Structures are given as structure tokens and as C-alpha cells.
Amino acid sequence: FFTLISKLLVQPLCELCLAQVCCSLDSLCSRRADGSMFLRWAPLFPQEIADQLLGKMAATGILNDTTVGIFRNCKELRLRRASISCCPVSAEAFHLALCPHRLQELDASWVSGGLTGANVVSGLAANMECRSSLQRLSINGLHLDWESLVEDGRVPVGFSSLQGLKTLILANTDTNDASLEDICNLPQLETLDISCSGVSDLTALIKCKNSMKSLIIHRLQHLAMSPSRLLFVLGQLHALRHLDFSDDHFAVDDSHMREGDETVRQLLEGSSQFLPSLVSLDISGRKRVTEEAVQAFVESRTGLVFLGLLATGISSSDGLCSHEKLKVTGEANENQVCEALRRYRDRECFTREALVHLYSLTTDMDKPRPDMLQLVLSGMQSHPTSLHVHLVATACTFNLTTQDLAEAMPVSLLTSTVTQLLYAMKTFPNHHQVQKNCLLALCSDYILQDVPFDKYLAATLVINWLSSHEDPTLQRMAVAVISILVAKLSTEQTAQLSKDVFIMKQLLAIVQQKAMVGVVDSTLKFALSALWNLTDEVPAAARNFIECQGLELYEEVLESYYTEPSIQQKVLGLLNNIAEVEELQADLLEEDLLEHVLSLLQDTQVEVGVRYFAGGILAQLTSRPQGWTLDEELRSTILKQLHTSIMTWTRVEREMVSYRSFRPFCPLLQTCQPPGVQLWAVWAIHLVCSQNTSHYSSMLVMEGTTELLTALAAHPNTHSDIKGLSETILQMVEHQNHLEASSNQAEPRNS
């Protein structure tokens, strides 16, 4: 039990430490003359931790020629199982940082930066220890380029120089018959993957007849062997346990598949003495396989544990269900589809096929399935540039996270999923259905409110999408997403987003479109909320709003939606934001506008929320007598009505407003301000403090607002109504501070 608990605690702690090292690499390192990094001080890392650090750097995208330099220190950072998959590492950096280690495993699949298979093999072979220690090598997706070794005057070496190799992955490379001849000289070779390579003749495999246990020859387009010859060669592999002879069923040119299909037919219908050790066979994508042949094969192989039948059309065979221990990839049921997504993560053709069937299975999903969502996410991550994969995967994501399903998912999984959705929106900006699927998945209150992800990027992408689409349903969702996201941004991010006048114009166009027909719907409300949030404590955005003729439009909306408090609150809320900006107050000093706002303040039939925001505009504008350009009598009337009206407001239970800071209130709390202005400010602070005391108490203290309230409460000329509210707020703050102090004292301390 204690061993299990320690593992559970240590593993996450280790991951956190590695993540912190990755984040702090610049501060922990110095630079060599060639620009590469080295740790200024490095303890002797446990060997597994060194492997994990390299893997973490690769996974987080920071591994490159510069950072990989820390692993030139072979004494403290000893690598055994190294992975630099998909990282930009050059041949020189690879030789200097990785080749000196006594590696047991190396994954250099799809490495960019000019690294070739020849670079890898020659570099590893130069280390005499590696020649015997290296057991597993994966260079999937690399160009071999043996010729470069001759051109550079180096002694040509081949895979056979790495005598310890047991597993060799060469899928998607230019491996040819000559390379295969060399490979088959490896005395301990057990697993070989030459899928999608240039090999045309497999005869050389006979040299591995006693060691070869797993052979993966998916989609060998250049294979030029008759079925009888190929079966003869395969039949010599007495130790073979796994054979993958699958093919890409999406291939336009399937001429090469016919002989392969015939080979599969003969294999299935042949004697059980052929490949007697075989327990795993993958023939997915083979279109001409019959159900009878598969049935006969399964019945004759009692030890069979896996059969790949995806895209063959026969995975629903009744005979397969009776074998409980047999795992099958196919489309007949959930288990087969999920097994396909697990096994074929690196194969686009099968990932696409499995996702199509998963979509059908999840259309009416009513139970949370984080396991399925993880499979979908893995598929997208493995094929980041595949439109076909993302088209179906994003639809599956929506099915798996819709309604309340997302709330039962691990937050970290949702964060990764949303990050991948944003990547899809960025990668396929002009594909309507992908964008729609991503938008549908994002349009979730729980995801938008409670899941951490790059909300600034999300807002930017959704706004860009909105600019070129007018579908009413999708427009409503997009505006809803933008409205929520903007409210989650920091003031700095909001300011950055607001620099683009196009965003303001786009949202104002939606408001105008709705206002012209007098409609009240969620699209209008979300657009108004988004504009309100965009201008919150962002003077540049407020200025853009005015320059885009937003003020004229809002005056019309305010008058035409007189009986719609939800609309009026959002309009008045934005006008409050403008009124808080001293240099923009003059734009609001229009007699007709202020008289209309004053009428809302005075009307006892109007909701308190509307009267509150009306009062905020008037309090800000009347707080600066030097900036007042209208009739002085109007200002006096406003100040009088502010005090009179506010004293009639009843307590508001629901959250009506939230504030990023109390800075805009500071000018209104000065002891020299008129009572009406002071009263509105203290009433507003009292409102939010009573609803969320812990949050706003700390804000009041940090921003020095409590000092202003103390001065206001103590001043002899302060009105008793204002003094009473100020003292109540200060008591709330004091009580909250006392609670927090008591809580801190109650916490156990380390002795």
C-alpha cells in the first residue's frame, strides 16, 4: 500500500519538477561558443530522470540544436532511452549531444533539421559501446541518404554495424532491397517495420528466420513478388508471432493490392502449420478477403490474440464474438473501433476510418467517455496537418463533450483537447465544417468558464471566423463564445484584442442588424456583452467604439428597447465604461442623451439594475465640474436625483456586475465630491462586497480604496447616508481580514 502511495505522489512531483526545469532552462544554463546550452550546475541525475527530461523537452517543443546541448554532459546526464521524435535537430547537434551516450533505445522519427538515417547510423556506430548496447532504433520518416557518407569521405556503415539491434523501425523511409540485405545480417533482429518503403523483394528476410518475431510490411507499394514466392519467404520465418500485411484502402491506385490480397487469401486458407507461432495478424484494408476464409483461420489458430480487420467489411463476422481473448480492429462495435484507434495512431488512413465509425457510435452519447476523447485527441495530435482526420475528429469531440458530458472529463484532458481544437481552427481557416465543429465544441459554458486554455487565441480565432460567416445559428454561437472569452481576458489582453478596429465594427454590425428589425435574441445580448467587456478599462477600445459610430447606434438602441431591461443594462454598462475615461466624457455630454439617462434613473418602474448603470454614467459625468459644458441647472438636478433615487434602491440578490478594479471609483470617493456622486460609488462598492466579500475586500485593500473610504467616513461634511455605507464596507473588510487571519493560524505548521 505504502509503495503504491509513494509512487502516486512521486510521479506527479517528478513531472512537475521536469516541467519547471523546462520552463527555467534559460536561467539554469549558459552558452557555449557555438550557441548551444549547458547547465551551469548539474547534479548526477538518476538515469531514468535524464531520459524523462529529454522526453519532456521534446514533448513541450523546446528541444532543438541549442537546448539539446545540455546532454553533451554524459557524466551527470546519462541517456539510455532517448526520444527526439519530430524535433528540429541537425546532424551535428545529434552527433555531439546523443551519440556519446551508451544508448539502448533511440527514437528519431520524423526529426527535422536535415538529420538523415545515414547520419544517425554512422553517428551511433562511431560509439563502440552503442554498437552493442543499442537494442531499439526508430527512424520513421527519415531520408536514409547513404550516398552522403561516401561523398563526405567517411567509411560507409550500415545497420548491420549496430549488432545489438533487436527492433528496427524504418516505416516511411527510402529503404530498398540493398538496405534490407544489410539489415538482415543483424544477428538478434526480432522486430522489423519497413512499411511504406521502397522494398520490392523480401527474400533477404530468410536470413532472420530464427530470430524474427514481428514483421510489419504495411503498404509495400513496390513489392514485386508472386503470392507463392512471398508465402515461401514468410513460411521460413519459424519464430514469427506478429505479421502486419495491411494496406491503405483509400489508395487511388490499388493495382499493387491484388497480388497482396491473393497472398492474404492463400495465407488464411492454408494450413495451421504455416507460421505455427503466429498469434497476431493484421490484414486491415484488404478489400478482397472473405468472411469464410477469416472464420477458418480463426478456428484453426487457437492461440490467436489479435486480428486486424478494419476496412475489410468482415469484422462483424459472428465467429469472432465467440473468442473472448481475441482483440479485433474493425467497425462492428465499440471495442473494435477503439482498438483500431489505439493500434493505428500513426496511420492516417486507418485513423480516418476508425473515427468515422466512432462518430456514429457517439452521436447519441449520454455517458462521459474520457477514454474515447483521449483516443480522438491522440489521433489529431498524430496527424496535425490531416484535414480528413480533423474533419471527423472535431465532430467526435463535440459528441463527446456536449451538454453535461464535459463536466465529468479530467480538466487536463479538456485543456489538451481545446488546445488541439484551436490548432485545427488555425490550420484549416477556410474549411467551413472543421470551423463549425470546433465552434460547436467550444460553445460550452463549462469549457469556456472553468477549463484553462489560451482564451486570447481562442477569441482571436472565433472573431476571424465570424468575419466571413453569416449563418444565424453559427453566428449566435460565435458571438456567445466571444462574449464569454473576452470577459476572461486580462486588461492587457483585452487592450491588445481591441487594437483591431475590425472586431468592434463586426460586433456593432450585428447589433445594428438586430436593432433594425427590433429583435431581442441571444445573439444581440451576447454581442452587447462582448462590446461591454471589450471596453472595460480599455480607453483605446472605448475610443474605437465612438469612432465606429457606436455611440449613435447605442442611443437608438437605448430608446427603441425601452422595455427591455436586459438590453438596457448592457448598453448603459458600456456607456459607463466610456464615462470613466476623462478625455471621452465630452462625447457623452449631449442634453438629449443625459435627459434620457436621467429619466431611467428616476423611473421607479424600471429595474434597479438599469437605474444603477444610469446612475453610474451620471455620477462620472457630474464628478468633474470643470468638464461640464451643458446647463448648470441640469447638473444640479442630476446630483439631487442621484441621491434621492439611490436611497430608494432595494438590495439586489443576484450578481449584477463585477469589477476588475476599483480604480475608476477613486475620483468619485474624494471628500470634495458632491454627495450624489459619493453615494453612487459607495453603494456600488457595498453591492459587490456584500455579494463576494473575500474577493473584493482584498481588492479594496490592495488598491488603497479603504483609505479613501476611511477618510470619507471621518470627514465632518460627509452625508450620514454615505458615512453609514462607508463604515459598513470597512467593517466587512475588517471581518474578512479577521477570518483569514484565524484561518491561517488554524493551519498546521511544520515543526
Side-chain angles (χ1 to χ4, degrees):
F1 173 78
F2 287 109
T3 302
L4 175 62
I5 292 296
S6 64
K7 285 183 178 178
L8 290 173
L9 291 173
V10 170
Q11 189 60 31
L13 178 60
C14 177
E15 291 175 5
L16 288 171
C17 291
L18 291 173
Q20 186 59 43
V21 171
C22 290
C23 292
S24 310
L25 211 54
D26 278 326
S27 59
L28 295 172
C29 292
S30 296
R31 305 277 178 138
R32 299 184 181 90
D34 63 0
S36 63
M37 288 181 171
F38 67 93
L39 289 168
R40 284 193 292 271
W41 176 83
L44 178 61
F45 275 60
Q47 184 269 307
E48 296 85 354
I49 300 298
D51 291 343
Q52 290 175 33
L53 176 59
L54 178 67
K56 190 72 172 178
M57 290 169 65
T60 53
I62 66 168
L63 190 69
N64 52 41
D65 281 6
T66 301
T67 57
V68 78
I70 68 172
F71 293 97
R72 294 188 196 178
N73 181 351
C74 301
K75 186 177 179 181
E76 278 74 31
L77 292 166
R78 300 160 298 158
L79 295 174
R80 294 293 180 268
R81 295 173 177 82
S83 175
I84 57 172
S85 177
C86 301
C87 297
V89 176
S90 68
E92 183 181 4
F94 172 77
H95 287 161
L96 291 170
L98 298 183
C99 292
H101 294 267
R102 192 174 185 274
L103 296 176
Q104 294 174 2
E105 297 179 8
L106 172 65
D107 184 356
S109 300
W110 302 105
V111 169
S112 56
L115 186 68
T116 66
N119 296 146
V120 172
V121 175
S122 63
L124 294 172
N127 180 344
M128 297 308 293
E129 286 188 316
C130 265
R131 287 185 176 230
S132 58
S133 68
L134 191 69
Q135 298 179 24
R136 179 185 176 87
L137 175 61
S138 177
I139 53 174
N140 186 2
L142 294 193
H143 177 43
L144 296 185
D145 195 24
W146 297 116
E147 297 80 8
S148 64
L149 297 181
V150 178
E151 291 171 5
D152 292 347
R154 285 177 284 175
V155 178
V157 293
F159 291 105
S160 59
S161 61
L162 303 172
Q163 290 282 291
L165 274 180
K166 293 182 178 181
T167 299
L168 183 56
I169 311 298
L170 297 171
N172 303 289
T173 66
D174 50 341
T175 303
N176 54 27
D177 294 346
S179 298
L180 185 61
E181 283 283 352
D182 174 55
I183 290 165
C184 291
N185 290 320
L186 290 166
Q188 302 180 66
L189 188 63
E190 296 179 353
T191 298
L192 177 64
D193 184 352
I194 50 173
S195 302
C196 304
S197 69
V199 172
S200 64
D201 189 344
L202 298 176
T203 304
L205 291 173
I206 295 175
K207 292 189 285 186
C208 302
K209 63 181 181 181
N210 295 320
S211 63
M212 185 71 70
K213 294 180 180 179
S214 177
L215 178 62
I216 305 167
I217 47 176
H218 166 74
R219 204 180 181 215
L220 285 186
Q221 289 180 280
H222 302 282
L223 191 62
M225 300 176 74
S226 65
S228 58
R229 178 60 183 168
L230 179 54
L231 287 171
F232 171 77
V233 172
L234 294 176
Q236 302 301 304
L237 307 180
H238 307 304
L240 196 66
R241 295 176 60 80
H242 171 66
L243 174 62
D244 182 344
F245 194 41
S246 56
D247 209 337
D248 182 356
H249 61 298
F250 286 120
V252 177
D253 178 15
D254 65 351
S255 57
H256 71 283
M257 293 178 65
R258 295 183 180 277
E259 288 196 335
D261 288 354
E262 176 58 23
T263 302
V264 170
R265 186 191 67 78
Q266 292 184 28
L267 187 157
L268 293 173
E269 296 177 355
S271 166
S272 60
Q273 297 307 306
F274 181 79
L275 298 178
S277 301
L278 199 69
V279 295
S280 172
L281 176 66
D282 199 333
I283 53 173
S284 291
R286 295 291 176 184
K287 301 174 182 176
R288 300 172 183 85
V289 177
T290 65
E291 190 172 322
E292 294 75 20
V294 169
Q295 187 65 41
F297 181 80
V298 172
E299 293 300 329
S300 65
R301 307 271 179 161
T302 55
L304 201 65
V305 296
F306 171 70
L307 188 59
L309 295 175
L310 184 68
T312 60
I314 57 171
S315 64
S316 57
S317 172
D318 293 335
L320 297 175
C321 301
S322 59
H323 297 266
E324 294 181 3
K325 295 183 179 179
L326 179 63
K327 290 186 177 181
V328 179
T329 57
E331 54 275 345
N333 54 50
E334 178 189 305
N335 289 338
Q336 290 186 5
V337 172
C338 289
E339 187 67 27
L341 285 169
R342 275 189 289 271
R343 287 186 180 257
Y344 302 137
R345 176 177 172 177
D346 295 329
R347 293 183 186 169
E348 182 188 358
C349 59
F350 293 157
T351 299
R352 284 169 59 185
E353 181 74 15
L355 285 170
V356 168
H357 296 289
L358 186 70
Y359 176 75
S360 300
L361 289 170
T362 58
T363 301
D364 297 314
M365 184 65 67
D366 58 357
K367 293 181 180 178
R369 292 296 301 270
D371 57 325
M372 282 188 177
L373 185 59
Q374 181 61 63
L375 290 172
V376 173
L377 174 62
S378 296
M380 289 192 283
Q381 290 172 333
S382 296
H383 306 283
T385 61
S386 171
L387 171 61
H388 297 294
V389 167
H390 280 79
L391 179 60
V392 192
T394 51
C396 291
T397 300
F398 170 67
N399 285 351
L400 290 164
T401 57
T402 190
Q403 297 177 358
D404 298 330
L405 296 177
E407 296 182 35
M409 300 285 185
V411 174
S412 59
L413 175 59
L414 287 175
T415 295
S416 299
T417 302
V418 173
T419 300
Q420 194 63 37
L421 291 177
L422 299 181
Y423 178 86
M425 293 184 75
K426 200 173 177 180
T427 307
F428 310 106
N430 300 318
H431 196 281
H432 175 77
Q433 192 61 48
V434 170
Q435 297 287 320
K436 178 180 177 181
N437 292 347
C438 293
L439 194 58
L440 284 165
L442 281 174
C443 198
S444 156
D445 275 343
Y446 175 73
I447 288 175
L448 293 172
Q449 299 281 6
D450 298 327
V451 176
F453 61 91
D454 189 341
K455 292 180 171 62
Y456 178 80
L457 173 62
T460 304
L461 291 169
V462 177
I463 288 167
N464 289 340
W465 180 90
L466 186 62
S467 66
S468 55
H469 295 82
E470 295 183 358
D471 179 287
T473 303
L474 296 179
Q475 185 186 70
R476 181 178 69 251
M477 287 192 297
V479 174
V481 170
I482 293 167
S483 173
I484 296 172
L485 288 175
V486 170
K488 294 289 182 180
L489 300 180
S490 66
T491 304
E492 294 74 21
Q493 288 176 320
T494 306
Q496 186 66 29
L497 194 66
S498 301
K499 285 181 180 178
D500 189 351
V501 181
F502 169 79
I503 296 170
M504 194 71 68
K505 288 181 177 178
Q506 191 68 33
L507 292 170
L508 284 171
I510 293 171
V511 173
Q512 186 171 34
Q513 176 190 11
K514 299 294 181 180
M516 284 176 65
V517 291
V519 69
V520 178
D521 63 9
S522 57
T523 304
L524 173 61
K525 292 178 181 179
F526 282 128
L528 292 171
S529 294
L531 287 163
W532 185 4
N533 288 320
L534 275 172
T535 54
D536 185 18
E537 292 195 41
V538 184
R543 188 177 294 105
N544 285 343
F545 175 85
I546 294 171
E547 291 174 355
C548 292
Q549 283 74 54
L551 203 53
E552 293 85 343
L553 173 61
Y554 266 45
E555 288 181 42
E556 294 175 12
V557 172
L558 201 57
E559 291 183 9
S560 56
Y561 286 89
Y562 190 84
T563 59
E564 296 292 339
S566 62
I567 302 296
Q568 287 181 312
Q569 277 193 45
K570 298 177 192 303
V571 171
L572 292 168
L574 186 143
L575 297 182
N576 260 274
N577 291 342
I578 296 175
E580 290 171 2
V581 183
E582 186 176 315
E583 60 268 26
L584 299 180
Q585 289 179 346
D587 291 277
L588 295 176
L589 292 176
E590 296 179 14
E591 193 167 330
D592 290 342
L593 172 61
L594 294 194
E595 286 183 348
H596 183 77
V597 174
L598 179 59
S599 69
L600 293 173
L601 172 71
Q602 294 173 303
D603 193 341
T604 56
Q605 301 302 310
V606 173
E607 286 189 6
V608 171
V610 175
R611 301 174 73 189
Y612 169 82
F613 289 112
I617 297 167
L618 297 173
Q620 289 286 357
L621 295 178
T622 54
S623 67
R624 292 181 60 249
Q626 67 274 26
W628 185 263
T629 58
L630 300 178
D631 183 56
E632 193 59 39
E633 187 177 340
L634 176 59
R635 180 171 180 269
S636 299
T637 302
I638 290 173
L639 291 171
K640 181 180 178 182
Q641 289 302 317
L642 269 172
H643 199 130
T644 303
S645 298
I646 292 170
M647 293 310 297
T648 66
W649 294 352
T650 55
R651 178 181 172 84
V652 180
E653 297 298 335
R654 63 179 177 82
E655 185 179 278
M656 191 172 65
V657 64
S658 62
Y659 290 106
R660 297 178 195 260
S661 81
F662 289 122
R663 282 186 291 272
F665 289 77
C666 293
L668 311 185
L669 294 171
Q670 302 299 319
T671 55
C672 60
Q673 288 288 2
V677 171
Q678 295 172 338
L679 183 59
W680 182 86
V682 293
W683 196 94
I685 294 171
H686 181 270
L687 169 68
V688 294
C689 280
S690 60
Q691 293 175 337
N692 192 345
T693 309
S694 59
H695 174 68
Y696 288 110
S697 287
S698 59
M699 187 187 293
L700 284 168
V701 174
M702 287 173 60
E703 295 180 354
T705 315
T706 49
E707 296 174 13
L708 294 175
L709 289 168
T710 302
L712 200 58
H715 198 277
N717 295 335
T718 300
H719 194 284
S720 58
D721 295 333
I722 301 163
K723 187 174 291 191
L725 277 174
S726 298
E727 289 171 347
T728 303
I729 296 168
L730 292 169
Q731 287 168 8
M732 287 184 191
V733 173
E734 186 178 351
H735 180 65
Q736 183 62 34
N737 291 341
H738 177 71
L739 288 176
E740 291 177 2
S742 300
S743 175
N744 291 336
Q745 288 176 0
E747 289 180 3
R749 297 176 181 272
N750 293 327
S751 57

